[in-house]
Structures are given as structure tokens and as C-alpha cells.
């Protein structure tokens, strides 16, 4: 059986173009070596077909039975990455092929690289496909909702093993270029099937790769080759716009550079982009603005639950200068009426989440005003989802959420199913240790609907979308009220004074 699975794996690699005709024997020998097999029994699989997940699962079962690995998610992931690395071209070949295609068009280059990242199992399509995804209508446009299941759930034993594993400073983090080809360990994923494309933005060496979890189409990560902290400044705006010049079919954005309003990795400068148009990008300008000295740049406040200034023009250098002027003013700006304080006790609070894209020949940038102040009433952040929404979303509101895609915790998949059963049976949610956190939320909408077996799950998904709209509203520094709009315009006046 194992020899048939090996042949099927090699056939998969040949069929999707990872290897060429004539490479099969070399690849089989490499796999035999990994599996500690001394001989090979040939077999005909030309008329057989299995999914990559099925093939790898069978080989991993064999490896576990033979004691080559422990039968845990972590060990299986480390081992199947080693298997797939057999088929992945060397980094220099991938880079050469990418830039050869890039001369024809950036789209052809990214199409090749994205296919390679999927076919090599660096992006585990079979896991990504399990994510729950749906659309949610809102007054701000159609929001994207996803319950992320791509990251494998680890057992308590694996978590303990990772904690006890020897700590290493190599690679320094998950974004460092040293991850390319890295074998991994119990507390760091294997990346032997991973390849990085070198690019230059703002005169510096950066890397371009795809996210293994692809929250949206062609979700890419662009990172500084040096392990330096996130920093939003004039140079960051230049880098973002440089990227859109290289890849005009992709948007690119950066998480903010402060805790609470930033992303999960603040220690390594990086951006995220992709080939997808989020609701925020589609949202219109609702209040036109003019900034002194930048009359050639189209500006306005975006109709969005968060506080967004959009600037657009033909010269990227002009956008860089204006974005820097707005950021500089915002860094030092306070408005007690709107509970905006630039700093407290020496700790800075104001920053922006910038997103850049092309609009034909024009460059466009959205600057989302952020503030990470905390209080006793709101210890996780005043401009952060408040406690009444934590049953759905408690985590930081980073770049992806800011643009209109809710990345919700995996626990919600089971909880949606359990809530459906409880609602239909009339169970008391407050007596359920898992579902009790949802009781007040369900009470807030249950009288609006007549629940049936057919519609209950869709109702829950609709209401989750409504919660996400509120999450974004909580994260907005200027609320969508007359007082909020007046406050927003006071800040614009402050920028024009500079």
C-alpha cells in the first residue's frame, strides 16, 4: 500500500507541474529515504486518482505506525512538509521564473507563484476550504465574515511539548527570511516547501510571499528582510505605494504600529496585501475634504464605521507628503470632547492603519485613524470591541478587520451549531457553561424572528454580521454622529493649520 501512495504522490506532483517527466525516479528515491525504506515495489497508478490530503494522510499514518513520527498534528505537519519539499524547485529557479514572467506582466508572475504555493502544500487548500465564510449586508456595504479553521487545533499535550521545547533564536520570528526551507520544530512550523520572492521597495530589500492561511484571494505578506519593528512613517507610505507600482493588481496595507490597534507581530516590519476588493475599498466618499497645499489631491472622509481619510492622485510622491502631514498632525493631536488623547503618562496613543491601491493610473491611500488608549472601564481599549461583543469578537482589530473582513475564532463553528439546537429546543442558554456567554446577545434579537430548522443558522450568521458592524463602530475614533463628524472636521482643520 505504501508504494502505491508514494507513486500517487509523485503522480500528483507531475500532474500539477511541480516536477517534469523524467524526475519521477529521483523523487521516489528521496521519499524512500525519508520513510527509511530500502527498496521499492513498482505499481501502476496511471488510472488512479486521490486528493493530496488523502495521499499524505495515508503516508503519515504509515510513518506513525512505523514509529517514524508521533501521531500528532504538529509532527504530521512537520513530516508532510518534508515530503512535499522533494518536489519544490530551488529558490533561485523560482525567483528566475517569477521575474521572467514579470517581464510579460505582474499578473502572470503572481499567478505562477500563487499556484506554486498552493500546489506545494505550503498553502494547505484542504484546510482553508474548511473555513466558514459568508457575506453580511450592512449600511457600509457587504462585509466578509470568516470563522478561521485553517490553523490546526493543537492538543494540550502538543501545547505543553511546544512550551518545553528548546527555545531558539533561529529564525527570530515567523516572518524572517530564514524561514525559507527551514525544517521546523515543535514550536515553529516547517517551511521546507516555502519559497520567497525578493523585491525592492523604497530602495530596501524586502521579501514577497503568500500567507499559508489565505484569509482572502491571493493573500500576500511583504516583509523587510531585516528583523526590525513595525513603524508607520513617511517611509512606510513610500513603500506601500512602491508596491502598488510593482503590482498594480494588488492592494497593500499595514497594521498599525502600536499594541491593541496593531497586528499580532509588531517586532518585524511587514505589510499584507492581495487580489481582493474589500467593502472599505468600495465605500464612497461622504464628505469631501481639501488640504492646504495639496489642492491637486482628491481627499475625503469615507462612509465607513471607522474613521478613514482617503487621498488620491496621479503622483505618489504627493500622496506620501500628504499622508505624512496627516500622520504627523494625528500623532500629537488631542480632543477631550471625543476622548482622544495623543499620550498619557508618556505613552503614545495615536497612529494610523494605511492601505494603498491603484485606481487606473491614479494612486489611492486610505488612512484609518487609530487610538489605543485604555481605561478602567475599557481595559482592552476604548476604541476596541467592548465587552458586550466579546462573545463574538474579542481580539484586536487589525488591518484585515479594518477593511471589512471579520476573522472570527474557530470556537464559533461548534457554538453556532449548538446555538441552533438550543434555540430550536427552547433550552436555557444561561444554564449552559459554553453558550451562556451568548444569552444576552440571543435575547436581543430572538423576538424579531420565527426560528425553523431551515432558517436558524442563517439568522445566527446574519446577526454575527451585525455584531461585526458594531465591532468596527467601536473601533472608530470618531463616531458616526453629529458630534463625531464635528470632531473629525476639527482634526482636519488642525492639519490645515500646520
Amino acid at each position: 500500500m505504501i508504494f502505491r501512495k508514494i507513486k500517487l504522490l509523485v503522480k500528483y506532483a507531475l500532474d500539477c507541474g511541480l516536477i517534469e517527466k523524467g524526475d519521477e525516479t529521483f523523487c521516489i528515491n528521496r521519499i524512500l529515504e525519508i520513510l527509511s525504506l530500502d527498496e521499492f515495489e513498482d505499481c501502476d497508478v496511471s488510472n488512479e486518482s486521490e486528493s493530496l490530503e488523502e495521499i499524505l494522510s495515508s503516508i503519515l499514518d504509515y510513518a506513525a505506525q512505523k514509529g517514524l513520527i508521533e501521531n500528532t498534528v504538529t509532527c504530521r505537519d512537520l513530516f508532510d512538509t518534508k515530503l512535499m519539499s522533494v518536489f519544490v524547485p530551488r529558490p533561485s529557479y523560482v525567483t528566475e521564473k517569477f521575474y521572467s514572467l514579470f517581464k510579460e506582466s505582474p499578473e502572470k508572475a503572481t499567478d505562477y507563484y500563487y499556484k506554486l504555493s498552493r500546489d506545494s502544500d505550503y498553502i494547505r487548500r484542504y484546510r482553508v476550504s474548511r473555513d466558514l465564510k459568508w457575506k453580511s449586508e450592512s449600511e457600509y456595504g457587504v462585509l466578509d465574515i470568516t470563522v478561521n479553521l485553517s490553523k490546526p487545533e493543537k492538543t494540550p499535550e502538543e501545547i505543553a511539548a511546544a512550551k518545553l521545547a528548546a527555545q531558539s533564536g533561529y529564525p527570530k520570528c515567523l516572518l524572517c527570511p530564514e524561514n525559507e526551507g527551514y525544517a521546523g520544530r515543535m514550536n515553529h512550523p516547517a517551511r521546507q516547501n516555502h519559497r520567497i520572492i525578493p523585491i525592492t521597495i523604497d530602495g530596501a530589500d524586502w521579501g514577497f510571499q503568500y500567507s499559508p492561511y489565505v484569509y482572502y484571494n491571493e493573500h500576500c505578506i511583504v516583509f523587510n528582510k531585516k528583523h526590525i519593528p513595525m513603524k508607520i512613517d513617511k517611509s512606510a507610505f513610500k513603500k506601500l505605494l512602491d508596491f502598488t507600482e510593482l503590482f498594480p493588481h494588488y492592494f497593500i496595507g499595514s497594521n498599525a504600529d502600536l499594541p491593541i490597534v496593531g497586528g499580532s507581530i509588531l517586532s518585524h516590519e511587514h505589510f499584507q496585501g492581495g487580489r481582493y476588493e474589500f467593502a472599505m475599498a468600495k465605500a464612497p466618499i461622504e464628505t469631501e475634504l481639501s488640504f492646504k497645499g495639496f489642492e491637486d489631491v482628491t481627499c475625503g472622509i469615507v462612509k465607513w464605521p471607522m474613521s478613514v481619510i482617503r487621498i488620491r492622485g496621479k503622483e505618489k510622491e504627493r500622496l506620501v507628503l500628504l499622508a505624512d502631514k496627516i500622520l504627523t498632525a494625528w500623532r500629537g493631536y488631542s480632543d477631550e470632547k471625543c476622548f482622544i488623547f495623543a499620550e498619557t503618562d508618556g505613552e503614545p496613543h495615536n497612529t494610523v492603519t494605511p492601505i494603498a491601491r491603484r485606481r487606473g493610473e491614479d494612486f489611492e491611500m486610505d488612512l484609518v485613524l487609530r487610538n489605543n488608549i485604555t481605561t478602567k472601564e475599557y481595559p482592552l481599549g476604548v476604541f476596541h470591541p467592548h465587552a458586550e461583543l466579546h462573545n463574538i469578537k474579542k481580539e484586536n482589530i487589525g488591518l484585515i478587520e479594518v477593511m471589512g473582513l471579520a476573522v472570527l475564532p474557530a470556537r464559533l463553528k461548534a457554538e453556532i451549531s449548538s446555538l441552533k439546537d438550543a434555540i430550536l429546543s427552547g433550552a436555557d442558554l444561561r444554564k449552559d457553561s459554553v453558550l451562556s456567554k451568548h444569552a444576552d446577545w440571543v435575547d436581543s434579537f430572538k423576538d424579531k424572528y420565527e426560528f425553523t430548522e431551515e432558517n436558524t443558522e442563517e439568522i445566527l450568521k446574519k446577526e454575527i454580521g451585525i455584531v461585526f458592524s458594531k465591532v468596527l463602530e467601536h473601533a472608530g475614533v470618531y463616531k458616526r454622529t453629529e458630534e463625531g463628524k464635528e470632531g473629525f472636521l476639527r482634526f482636519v482643520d488642525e492639519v490645515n493649520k500646520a
Side-chain angles (χ1 to χ4, degrees), residues 134-145 279 461-469:
W134 67 92
K135 304 283 187 179
S136 179
E137 296 281 350
S138 79
E139 64 176 291
Y140 311 110
V142 180
L143 304 177
D144 293 289
I145 314 293
K461 287 181 176 179
K462 176 184 175 182
E463 291 294 330
I464 287 172
I466 292 171
V467 169
F468 182 54
S469 287

Side-chain angles (χ1 to χ4, degrees), residues 311-367:
I311 59 178
R312 179 174 173 175
K314 294 194 178 300
E315 296 181 30
K316 65 179 182 179
E317 292 78 11
R318 296 288 290 159
L319 266 63
V320 169
L321 289 172
L322 178 53
D324 185 53
K325 181 183 176 74
I326 293 169
L327 173 65
T328 300
W330 180 244
R331 291 281 195 195
Y333 184 75
S334 295
D335 184 343
E336 190 172 348
K337 289 182 180 178
C338 296
F339 206 78
I340 294 169
F341 297 93
E343 59 88 21
T344 54
D345 299 324
E347 180 187 351
H349 296 305
N350 289 348
T351 185
V352 301
T353 299
I355 302 102
R357 63 185 75 89
R358 297 296 295 275
R359 295 293 189 192
E361 294 298 311
D362 287 356
F363 294 90
E364 184 173 273
M365 182 174 284
D366 288 346
L367 300 171

